[in-house]
Amino acid sequence: MINETLQKLLIVDESENNRIAIKNILQDEYEFVEAASIEEAINTIERCTIDVVLADLKFISQLKDNDKILQIPLIAMVDSSDVDAGAIAIESGAFEVIAKPLNQTLVSYRIHNVIKHFKDAESVQILKDKQIIEMHKYVEMDALTGLINRETFYKRAAALMQVNIETKYYIIYFDISCFKAINDLFHIETGNLILRTAANYFRTVIDPKVGLCSRIEADHFIICVPQDKIDIEKLIIGLDVTVQALGIGHNILFYAGIYPVNNPSLPVDQMCDRANMALRKIKGNYMNRYAYYDAGMRELMLQDQMIVRDMETALQENQFSIFLQPIYDIKRNTINSAEALVRWFHPINGMISPGKFIPVFERNGFIVKTDRFVWEEVCKFIQRQREETGEVTPVSVNVSRLNFYNLDLLEFLLGLLERYELESWMLKLEITESAYMDNSHQLMSIIKVFREEGFPVLMDDFGSGYSSLNMLKNLPVDVLKVDMAFVRELEESERAYMILKFIMNLAKDLGMDVIVEGVETKKQLDYLVHLGADKIQGYYFSKPLPVPEFKKLLKENKICK
């Protein structure tokens, strides 16, 4: 019966006498296994667990060629009369060398040391392997939800689809409606709870054997799943029920964009972009909660790529220009001010609609450069107007929310005023409700500084977002620009009329002025006059005009001095 407590020592030597001598020296310290040839030795290693091998020099290099021997300490027995034998043994792959004739004390000591070294090294390696696994887990996982992160998803999804080349997959991109509002209205822990709950739901419904789910950023999730393993409507309903069970008291809705994968070799990040493109088509639409990517969206993507490719050149070659849309004081029948809008005249594609390039610029950050271009062009216009006529028409400019992340924003604006010898009241700054949703505290502090420097601050598209009344309480703006959606519905909706009346009265009580934009018909104008509106902007009076045409229009009106 084999003693399982003894370590196994394989003796490889053609001489039986040598093998017997070794066993006599080591006596009961090991369980011995013998081999008289390389074939017998390799066979023994393949079928048995060996702790240490003691072999004649002639067998060392052949033994080292066997993969399994890499995990076993190998000791060479060499003739002490051969001065080069030790070096040859080490070069051939032996870990230790023992000289013949064998010394009992030395042999036992060296074998013990070799085994201990290997055991210690093995323990260290096991610890390192565990640390590497933990590190990989940390690098690959999203800390909040425990789902894999973006880069890991890209890598694993690509591998999954390449291995299962015959399987048809969906890439599905999820986003939560008004998630920033949830963080603002409640607490960040509430938002985190929603994200963790959604992650647990995805883990439950997506079989890890066939699919993947990931939180790629913020409130964005993405899954890769075989098309025959998913029912998108049931998935969204289940997601709604799961999140609503938290009892948060806010209408939390998930939207999904779906890309049916027809080319598994396409980079996964591009697949995700296409799914996100489908999502953007319906986000905020309460009737449609998901949409599929189609060829039309591909055309939109190609158009976006053209915009990104040419935007820097456009700025350098002055393809951008400003248009000015007058804002009328209908009580005085004069142009009160104007709003500056950017236009892009492409040398090949002609005029590119702002509705096409502005969203792209906001996504990739180029809007910061575009805004600064517009601000400077407006300052040039005001300076020339004052030099030519001695009069000034204040102009409002859009300050996109990405500008608020630049520490030199105020410095840049003040630098423009100094360079063109203007006063701050001449340049009005328009911000949007979305900027407040992004970072309300930062925006409030910046607006305070703007107003301290004398810049009038306008809230654009007021009423288009979730927290307009909350903003009125917090933001000390000078002017509200009412969202044109109210104006469009004035003729048909009594509620729109009542809401607009309430906004105008509230603004008056708070000491704010109101500009109503988007006025297109005489009937709309009459409604607004009846409500007491006096500052009007819209196509009924004038579309945005190139600077020369706007100057001609000014000559027909009394101008603010």
mmCIF file of all heavy atoms in Angstrom, residues 110 137 154 192 235 243 265 300 302 322 330 340 395 441 445 466 475 506 534 537:
data_model
loop_
_atom_site.group_PDB
_atom_site.id
_atom_site.type_symbol
_atom_site.label_atom_id
_atom_site.label_comp_id
_atom_site.label_asym_id
_atom_site.label_seq_id
_atom_site.Cartn_x
_atom_site.Cartn_y
_atom_site.Cartn_z
ATOM 1 N N ARG A 110 20.247 18.519 -0.324
ATOM 2 C CA ARG A 110 19.959 19.217 -1.588
ATOM 3 C C ARG A 110 18.565 18.886 -2.109
ATOM 4 O O ARG A 110 17.856 19.760 -2.633
ATOM 5 C CB ARG A 110 21.032 18.876 -2.621
ATOM 6 C CG ARG A 110 22.372 19.510 -2.282
ATOM 7 C CD ARG A 110 23.299 19.557 -3.472
ATOM 8 N NE ARG A 110 24.506 20.295 -3.150
ATOM 9 C CZ ARG A 110 25.520 20.470 -3.996
ATOM 10 N NH1 ARG A 110 25.475 19.950 -5.209
ATOM 11 N NH2 ARG A 110 26.584 21.172 -3.635
ATOM 12 N N LYS A 137 -10.207 41.385 -12.543
ATOM 13 C CA LYS A 137 -11.606 41.608 -12.196
ATOM 14 C C LYS A 137 -11.851 43.088 -11.934
ATOM 15 O O LYS A 137 -12.849 43.658 -12.385
ATOM 16 C CB LYS A 137 -11.967 40.777 -10.964
ATOM 17 C CG LYS A 137 -13.431 40.843 -10.563
ATOM 18 C CD LYS A 137 -13.697 39.931 -9.395
ATOM 19 C CE LYS A 137 -15.165 39.992 -8.977
ATOM 20 N NZ LYS A 137 -15.446 39.107 -7.822
ATOM 21 N N TYR A 154 -16.482 45.358 -25.235
ATOM 22 C CA TYR A 154 -16.041 45.358 -26.632
ATOM 23 C C TYR A 154 -15.244 44.090 -26.942
ATOM 24 O O TYR A 154 -15.459 43.430 -27.962
ATOM 25 C CB TYR A 154 -15.161 46.587 -26.906
ATOM 26 C CG TYR A 154 -15.877 47.914 -26.928
ATOM 27 C CD1 TYR A 154 -15.167 49.110 -26.888
ATOM 28 C CD2 TYR A 154 -17.267 47.989 -26.977
ATOM 29 C CE1 TYR A 154 -15.811 50.339 -26.904
ATOM 30 C CE2 TYR A 154 -17.924 49.204 -26.989
ATOM 31 C CZ TYR A 154 -17.187 50.377 -26.947
ATOM 32 O OH TYR A 154 -17.828 51.589 -26.972
ATOM 33 N N ASN A 192 -27.858 55.702 -7.799
ATOM 34 C CA ASN A 192 -27.024 54.492 -7.756
ATOM 35 C C ASN A 192 -27.866 53.246 -7.517
ATOM 36 O O ASN A 192 -27.593 52.180 -8.071
ATOM 37 C CB ASN A 192 -25.966 54.616 -6.665
ATOM 38 C CG ASN A 192 -24.881 55.627 -7.017
ATOM 39 O OD1 ASN A 192 -24.752 56.013 -8.186
ATOM 40 N ND2 ASN A 192 -24.116 56.050 -6.052
ATOM 41 N N LEU A 235 -38.647 42.438 -22.111
ATOM 42 C CA LEU A 235 -37.482 42.875 -21.353
ATOM 43 C C LEU A 235 -37.704 44.272 -20.790
ATOM 44 O O LEU A 235 -37.424 44.533 -19.613
ATOM 45 C CB LEU A 235 -36.250 42.843 -22.247
ATOM 46 C CG LEU A 235 -34.908 43.125 -21.562
ATOM 47 C CD1 LEU A 235 -33.793 42.312 -22.195
ATOM 48 C CD2 LEU A 235 -34.546 44.600 -21.647
ATOM 49 N N VAL A 243 -37.796 48.333 -11.577
ATOM 50 C CA VAL A 243 -37.359 49.639 -11.065
ATOM 51 C C VAL A 243 -38.492 50.342 -10.327
ATOM 52 O O VAL A 243 -38.274 50.984 -9.294
ATOM 53 C CB VAL A 243 -36.810 50.506 -12.220
ATOM 54 C CG1 VAL A 243 -36.497 51.912 -11.731
ATOM 55 C CG2 VAL A 243 -35.561 49.876 -12.811
ATOM 56 N N SER A 265 -17.683 41.014 -38.099
ATOM 57 C CA SER A 265 -16.313 41.529 -38.126
ATOM 58 C C SER A 265 -16.252 43.045 -37.922
ATOM 59 O O SER A 265 -15.178 43.614 -37.756
ATOM 60 C CB SER A 265 -15.638 41.169 -39.458
ATOM 61 O OG SER A 265 -16.325 41.766 -40.542
ATOM 62 N N LEU A 300 -27.063 59.074 -41.848
ATOM 63 C CA LEU A 300 -26.866 60.111 -40.836
ATOM 64 C C LEU A 300 -25.480 59.997 -40.215
ATOM 65 O O LEU A 300 -24.808 61.008 -39.978
ATOM 66 C CB LEU A 300 -27.943 59.975 -39.758
ATOM 67 C CG LEU A 300 -27.902 60.999 -38.616
ATOM 68 C CD1 LEU A 300 -28.108 62.412 -39.146
ATOM 69 C CD2 LEU A 300 -28.960 60.658 -37.568
ATOM 70 N N LEU A 302 -22.804 58.755 -41.680
ATOM 71 C CA LEU A 302 -21.828 59.213 -42.677
ATOM 72 C C LEU A 302 -21.802 60.733 -42.745
ATOM 73 O O LEU A 302 -20.744 61.352 -42.897
ATOM 74 C CB LEU A 302 -22.162 58.615 -44.045
ATOM 75 C CG LEU A 302 -22.009 57.094 -44.163
ATOM 76 C CD1 LEU A 302 -22.496 56.610 -45.523
ATOM 77 C CD2 LEU A 302 -20.560 56.671 -43.942
ATOM 78 N N ILE A 322 -21.938 84.386 -38.986
ATOM 79 C CA ILE A 322 -23.063 84.616 -38.082
ATOM 80 C C ILE A 322 -24.238 85.218 -38.847
ATOM 81 O O ILE A 322 -24.059 85.995 -39.785
ATOM 82 C CB ILE A 322 -22.673 85.526 -36.900
ATOM 83 C CG1 ILE A 322 -22.242 86.920 -37.375
ATOM 84 C CG2 ILE A 322 -21.609 84.874 -36.059
ATOM 85 C CD1 ILE A 322 -22.164 87.938 -36.242
ATOM 86 N N ILE A 330 -42.491 95.244 -29.436
ATOM 87 C CA ILE A 330 -43.684 95.565 -30.232
ATOM 88 C C ILE A 330 -44.442 96.770 -29.687
ATOM 89 O O ILE A 330 -45.241 97.376 -30.407
ATOM 90 C CB ILE A 330 -44.624 94.346 -30.336
ATOM 91 C CG1 ILE A 330 -44.987 93.826 -28.951
ATOM 92 C CG2 ILE A 330 -43.997 93.238 -31.170
ATOM 93 C CD1 ILE A 330 -45.975 92.668 -28.985
ATOM 94 N N ALA A 340 -27.627 86.022 -32.138
ATOM 95 C CA ALA A 340 -26.651 85.562 -33.122
ATOM 96 C C ALA A 340 -26.766 84.051 -33.292
ATOM 97 O O ALA A 340 -26.807 83.298 -32.313
ATOM 98 C CB ALA A 340 -25.241 85.934 -32.685
ATOM 99 N N VAL A 395 -26.597 92.188 -28.629
ATOM 100 C CA VAL A 395 -26.763 90.888 -29.293
ATOM 101 C C VAL A 395 -26.577 89.787 -28.255
ATOM 102 O O VAL A 395 -25.637 89.817 -27.462
ATOM 103 C CB VAL A 395 -25.744 90.700 -30.443
ATOM 104 C CG1 VAL A 395 -25.922 89.330 -31.096
ATOM 105 C CG2 VAL A 395 -25.901 91.815 -31.466
ATOM 106 N N HIS A 441 -25.293 73.519 -9.493
ATOM 107 C CA HIS A 441 -24.506 74.351 -8.573
ATOM 108 C C HIS A 441 -23.429 75.135 -9.314
ATOM 109 O O HIS A 441 -23.205 76.327 -9.045
ATOM 110 C CB HIS A 441 -23.881 73.487 -7.489
ATOM 111 C CG HIS A 441 -24.885 72.811 -6.608
ATOM 112 N ND1 HIS A 441 -25.704 73.520 -5.757
ATOM 113 C CD2 HIS A 441 -25.226 71.498 -6.470
ATOM 114 C CE1 HIS A 441 -26.492 72.682 -5.112
ATOM 115 N NE2 HIS A 441 -26.228 71.449 -5.524
ATOM 116 N N SER A 445 -23.262 79.432 -9.794
ATOM 117 C CA SER A 445 -22.113 80.255 -9.405
ATOM 118 C C SER A 445 -21.584 81.044 -10.601
ATOM 119 O O SER A 445 -21.179 82.214 -10.456
ATOM 120 C CB SER A 445 -21.017 79.378 -8.803
ATOM 121 O OG SER A 445 -20.531 78.445 -9.752
ATOM 122 N N TYR A 466 -37.529 69.575 -17.451
ATOM 123 C CA TYR A 466 -38.291 69.031 -16.335
ATOM 124 C C TYR A 466 -38.397 69.983 -15.147
ATOM 125 O O TYR A 466 -39.304 69.879 -14.334
ATOM 126 C CB TYR A 466 -37.633 67.727 -15.855
ATOM 127 C CG TYR A 466 -36.443 67.950 -14.953
ATOM 128 C CD1 TYR A 466 -36.570 67.906 -13.569
ATOM 129 C CD2 TYR A 466 -35.188 68.268 -15.482
ATOM 130 C CE1 TYR A 466 -35.486 68.134 -12.737
ATOM 131 C CE2 TYR A 466 -34.115 68.491 -14.659
ATOM 132 C CZ TYR A 466 -34.267 68.415 -13.286
ATOM 133 O OH TYR A 466 -33.198 68.643 -12.482
ATOM 134 N N LEU A 475 -32.012 80.203 -10.066
ATOM 135 C CA LEU A 475 -31.157 80.923 -11.016
ATOM 136 C C LEU A 475 -31.552 82.387 -11.149
ATOM 137 O O LEU A 475 -32.681 82.699 -11.531
ATOM 138 C CB LEU A 475 -31.224 80.257 -12.398
ATOM 139 C CG LEU A 475 -30.537 78.903 -12.533
ATOM 140 C CD1 LEU A 475 -30.617 78.434 -13.966
ATOM 141 C CD2 LEU A 475 -29.087 78.971 -12.091
ATOM 142 N N LEU A 506 -45.467 85.360 -13.609
ATOM 143 C CA LEU A 506 -44.473 84.950 -12.621
ATOM 144 C C LEU A 506 -43.141 85.655 -12.878
ATOM 145 O O LEU A 506 -42.488 86.126 -11.941
ATOM 146 C CB LEU A 506 -44.282 83.428 -12.686
ATOM 147 C CG LEU A 506 -43.295 82.822 -11.683
ATOM 148 C CD1 LEU A 506 -43.754 83.091 -10.258
ATOM 149 C CD2 LEU A 506 -43.151 81.321 -11.923
ATOM 150 N N ASP A 534 -44.201 91.845 -24.812
ATOM 151 C CA ASP A 534 -43.712 92.994 -25.577
ATOM 152 C C ASP A 534 -42.433 92.706 -26.352
ATOM 153 O O ASP A 534 -42.099 93.433 -27.279
ATOM 154 C CB ASP A 534 -43.528 94.209 -24.674
ATOM 155 C CG ASP A 534 -42.611 93.905 -23.498
ATOM 156 O OD1 ASP A 534 -42.124 92.767 -23.408
ATOM 157 O OD2 ASP A 534 -42.399 94.813 -22.667
ATOM 158 N N GLN A 537 -39.708 87.434 -30.950
ATOM 159 C CA GLN A 537 -38.714 86.978 -31.915
ATOM 160 C C GLN A 537 -39.363 85.878 -32.759
ATOM 161 O O GLN A 537 -40.003 84.982 -32.224
ATOM 162 C CB GLN A 537 -37.489 86.413 -31.187
ATOM 163 C CG GLN A 537 -36.382 85.875 -32.092
ATOM 164 C CD GLN A 537 -35.206 85.329 -31.281
ATOM 165 O OE1 GLN A 537 -35.159 85.476 -30.059
ATOM 166 N NE2 GLN A 537 -34.274 84.693 -31.954
#
